[in-house]
Amino acid sequence: MAANYPTKSVISSSDWQKMESVFRRLKTVCLDMNFPIDYVWQNIPVGEYLERVRQLRCEEKLTHDQMRFFDKLDIDLQYRERHWYYMYERAKQYYERYGHLSVSKKEDYTLQKWIGSQRQKYYEGPRKRKNRMDRYSPLSKEQMQLLEDIEIVWDASTKL
């Protein structure tokens, strides 16, 4: 199920400072800081703030310090699943524009790399990284179906 992302993922520096202040105050009264999008605290749309931050994380637009701020507050930015759907939407837009998913590094390196990792997940093959073996988490049936709906070619050696 794809998430409904906020349309405005940019946060001004004044909004950011306000959000940091709100989250710091909330941490003193809440144990669980993972608020739903409709959560409002003292007339402040905290849930919407958190959704905007999560979207920025998906778009890889948060600074290291901003990510550390949320880590220190133990706020889950739900990166993995959200990022998958964010990248899927990019792949879908590419497919709708060009009719295939054969993305070159020059066109969109990040998308090309993500599509390659989906192929590896499909085959559940191990990969070697920094002298250790990792396994990709397998794709869910829903994820496989979504990718097949936009005609992913699982075997990269297959020509279009």
Side-chain angles (χ1 to χ4, degrees):
M1 174 172 67
N4 293 322
Y5 296 117
T7 55
K8 183 181 177 188
S9 59
V10 176
I11 299 174
S12 69
S13 60
S14 62
D15 282 349
W16 188 266
Q17 290 173 348
K18 181 180 175 183
M19 283 180 10
E20 280 187 350
S21 174
V22 168
F23 283 115
R24 278 191 194 103
R25 285 186 286 151
L26 271 168
K27 187 62 179 177
T28 64
V29 295
C30 295
L31 293 176
D32 183 7
M33 298 284 286
N34 296 303
F35 307 107
I37 193 169
D38 59 349
Y39 184 78
V40 176
W41 180 70
Q42 297 181 352
N43 294 321
I44 300 169
V46 175
E48 288 180 23
Y49 283 174
L50 190 53
E51 287 301 310
R52 286 172 59 196
V53 169
R54 286 175 171 156
Q55 181 64 20
L56 286 168
R57 176 65 176 107
C58 286
E59 296 171 5
E60 299 177 358
K61 292 180 181 174
L62 287 183
T63 67
H64 180 70
D65 289 339
Q66 290 168 334
M67 287 189 293
R68 274 193 14 220
F69 171 77
F70 285 95
D71 283 344
K72 285 180 182 179
L73 294 179
D74 199 27
I75 297 175
D76 181 10
L77 296 180
Q78 300 175 342
Y79 177 69
R80 283 188 168 85
E81 185 175 337
R82 284 179 162 274
H83 185 67
W84 192 94
Y85 284 105
Y86 171 73
M87 291 304 297
Y88 167 75
E89 286 300 320
R90 284 181 56 184
K92 184 177 175 185
Q93 289 171 1
Y94 184 93
Y95 172 77
E96 288 169 352
R97 183 171 184 188
Y98 298 106
H100 61 81
L101 290 176
S102 184
V103 182
S104 71
K105 287 181 183 180
K106 191 175 183 179
E107 288 176 300
D108 189 335
Y109 177 72
T110 303
L111 181 59
Q112 188 255 0
K113 201 166 110 177
W114 182 81
I115 290 170
S117 74
Q118 301 316 295
R119 290 182 178 121
Q120 286 180 304
K121 287 179 181 183
Y122 178 78
Y123 289 112
E124 298 180 329
R127 64 179 173 170
K128 190 166 186 169
R129 184 178 71 197
K130 295 183 183 176
N131 298 321
R132 72 173 208 235
M133 292 299 288
D134 293 335
R135 289 193 61 80
Y136 287 95
S137 58
L139 292 170
S140 70
K141 288 181 182 182
E142 177 194 10
Q143 289 171 333
M144 282 190 278
Q145 185 59 56
L146 287 169
L147 290 167
E148 287 172 358
D149 288 348
I150 58 173
E151 299 181 15
I152 190 169
V153 177
W154 294 117
D155 183 354
S157 65
T158 304
K159 301 289 183 203
L160 291 174

